Amino acid sequence: MNKALRITLALVLIALVGVLVFGLMTKGTFGFIQNEEYILVEKTYTASEYSKFDFEVDNRSVTVLPSTTGNVELSYYDSENDFVELLENGDTLKLINDPVWYHAIFSGIFPTEMSIYNKMTLYLPQTVDYELDIQSTNGRVEVSECDNLLALTLETTNGSLFVNSVSCAGLVSVETVNGGVYLDSVVFQSNVELTSSNGGIHLEDVLVSGEIVAETTNGGLEMDTIQANQMDLTSVNGSVDGDKIVASQVKIVTTNGHIDMEIDGLFADYHVQMLTGNGSYYLNGTPVTINIYHTDQTNKLDFKTTNGSIRVSFTE
């Protein structure tokens, strides 16, 4: 690194420290955040005016709930330095907020100053089918009590994702970095793709007609009462635990974590294959040395782990 570059970086660091010190001297608030004038914006559309909603937001949380009026309703806060833009493209309503750079940085550093204004809420009628595509940075996303979705795509960075009491006819894709994924009481008629980095994946009362593909890094995978055609699960530095699992094909690969699965079915109906390094095998709670069973069966459980044990049990 040459001398001029080192001097430039030092000046930038000094300036940043100065701004932070100033903020702390003013009781943890920055004037351009504290004095920012936010205005509540409320929009109303007919149920069939748009069939897809595409959100890209920074430092905002997004909640989707059922409408009680029969119309699509959208509410959020707007300001000069943290403004929201609505774009119409055929049957798609796209929402983008583009905060001024310094406002985006310091509102993230002092989230309590923004807790009132960083919420967006979309209310959807139950009479029309919709597609949702929501991307958020530094904010959580929640979709609840919507049984008329055609497709669902959710993505966050530094925030968790919650899907509760939702039905979707098409592909479901959920991805988060530095946050967890939580699915509860959902019915999906197609495939489901779940990805989490530095956060776990938690599934409860999930019915999927297609395949569940889930991948976690630095987080575990917890499942309870799951039914799917196939399951392909991967975990790095996390364990995989499941109760009341119904699926004809289950493949699990973990690194630095155990596998503990309860299959809702008959042991004799499954080709079971287990492989571990630095771990033991358990079948219905009993330690075993045999790791392959019933190779003539088409239903298959294929479990592999490194640095962890494998436990498989059956309800019948």
Side-chain angles (χ1 to χ4, degrees), residues 1-158:
M1 184 182 296
N2 59 49
K3 183 176 180 181
L5 181 56
R6 289 198 300 269
I7 294 174
T8 301
L9 291 175
L11 291 174
V12 171
L13 180 60
I14 292 171
L16 180 59
V17 171
V19 172
L20 292 173
V21 170
F22 173 77
L24 294 173
M25 292 177 64
T26 56
K27 300 181 180 180
T29 63
F30 290 83
F32 48 78
I33 295 179
Q34 185 181 34
N35 299 325
E36 188 80 10
E37 183 177 352
Y38 279 87
I39 300 174
L40 176 62
V41 178
E42 296 178 306
K43 300 284 187 179
T44 301
Y45 309 95
T46 63
S48 59
E49 194 166 347
Y50 300 104
S51 62
K52 181 177 180 179
F53 296 89
D54 186 354
F55 289 7
E56 295 181 13
V57 297
D58 291 335
N59 300 323
R60 301 282 184 126
S61 64
V62 179
T63 303
V64 182
L65 297 170
S67 171
T68 59
T69 65
N71 294 318
V72 174
E73 298 178 357
L74 174 63
S75 65
Y76 57 87
Y77 285 90
D78 206 354
S79 76
E80 181 179 355
N81 290 317
D82 188 12
F83 52 89
V84 174
E85 185 177 7
L86 293 175
L87 304 173
E88 299 180 8
N89 183 13
D91 60 355
T92 299
L93 180 65
K94 188 175 183 65
L95 182 150
I96 303 174
N97 84 303
D98 188 16
V100 176
W101 69 270
Y102 54 77
H103 191 279
I105 292 174
F106 293 113
S107 62
I109 295 175
F110 297 101
T112 55
E113 297 296 325
M114 294 295 299
S115 60
I116 299 174
Y117 307 113
N118 68 356
K119 296 179 175 62
M120 292 182 168
T121 306
L122 174 66
Y123 299 92
L124 296 178
Q126 303 295 297
T127 55
V128 176
D129 296 334
Y130 298 100
E131 295 183 43
L132 289 179
D133 188 339
I134 301 174
Q135 301 178 43
S136 175
T137 301
N138 300 326
R140 58 175 272 167
V141 176
E142 178 179 352
V143 181
S144 295
E145 300 180 30
C146 296
D147 60 4
N148 56 329
L149 298 182
L150 292 174
L152 178 63
T153 301
L154 305 177
E155 183 177 344
T156 68
T157 300
N158 301 327

Side-chain angles (χ1 to χ4, degrees), residues 73-316:
E73 298 178 357
L74 174 63
S75 65
Y76 57 87
Y77 285 90
D78 206 354
S79 76
E80 181 179 355
N81 290 317
D82 188 12
F83 52 89
V84 174
E85 185 177 7
L86 293 175
L87 304 173
E88 299 180 8
N89 183 13
D91 60 355
T92 299
L93 180 65
K94 188 175 183 65
L95 182 150
I96 303 174
N97 84 303
D98 188 16
V100 176
W101 69 270
Y102 54 77
H103 191 279
I105 292 174
F106 293 113
S107 62
I109 295 175
F110 297 101
T112 55
E113 297 296 325
M114 294 295 299
S115 60
I116 299 174
Y117 307 113
N118 68 356
K119 296 179 175 62
M120 292 182 168
T121 306
L122 174 66
Y123 299 92
L124 296 178
Q126 303 295 297
T127 55
V128 176
D129 296 334
Y130 298 100
E131 295 183 43
L132 289 179
D133 188 339
I134 301 174
Q135 301 178 43
S136 175
T137 301
N138 300 326
R140 58 175 272 167
V141 176
E142 178 179 352
V143 181
S144 295
E145 300 180 30
C146 296
D147 60 4
N148 56 329
L149 298 182
L150 292 174
L152 178 63
T153 301
L154 305 177
E155 183 177 344
T156 68
T157 300
N158 301 327
S160 293
L161 296 164
F162 301 84
V163 182
N164 308 303
S165 301
V166 168
S167 297
C168 183
L171 177 66
V172 175
S173 178
V174 178
E175 181 177 355
T176 181
V177 177
N178 300 328
V181 173
Y182 301 84
L183 272 60
D184 187 1
S185 303
V186 297
V187 177
F188 299 144
Q189 298 177 27
S190 186
N191 295 332
V192 177
E193 300 173 355
L194 310 173
T195 306
S196 176
S197 179
N198 300 325
I201 295 177
H202 310 266
L203 311 179
E204 183 173 359
D205 193 13
V206 173
L207 175 60
V208 176
S209 299
E211 181 181 16
I212 297 176
V213 178
E215 182 177 351
T216 70
T217 302
N218 300 328
L221 178 56
E222 298 178 353
M223 301 171 290
D224 188 357
T225 314
I226 311 298
Q227 183 172 339
N229 183 24
Q230 299 182 48
M231 303 175 69
D232 188 345
L233 315 175
T234 304
S235 177
V236 178
N237 299 328
S239 298
V240 177
D241 296 272
D243 290 322
K244 305 188 188 91
I245 307 300
V246 177
S248 61
Q249 305 286 325
V250 182
K251 180 180 179 181
I252 302 176
V253 178
T254 72
T255 302
N256 300 327
H258 68 253
I259 297 173
D260 190 344
M261 296 287 286
E262 179 195 64
I263 304 301
D264 191 356
L266 185 65
F267 171 49
D269 291 339
Y270 283 86
H271 172 191
V272 178
Q273 182 169 307
M274 302 178 286
L275 181 63
T276 182
N278 301 323
S280 302
Y281 303 117
Y282 297 84
L283 180 61
N284 290 325
T286 301
V288 294
T289 56
I290 300 174
N291 64 326
I292 299 177
Y293 301 86
H294 310 142
T295 57
D296 59 329
Q297 296 299 314
T298 56
N299 298 327
K300 186 174 182 180
L301 307 178
D302 185 2
F303 300 163
K304 298 177 183 179
T305 184
T306 303
N307 299 325
S309 295
I310 298 177
R311 293 174 170 84
V312 183
S313 61
F314 296 83
T315 59
E316 302 179 36

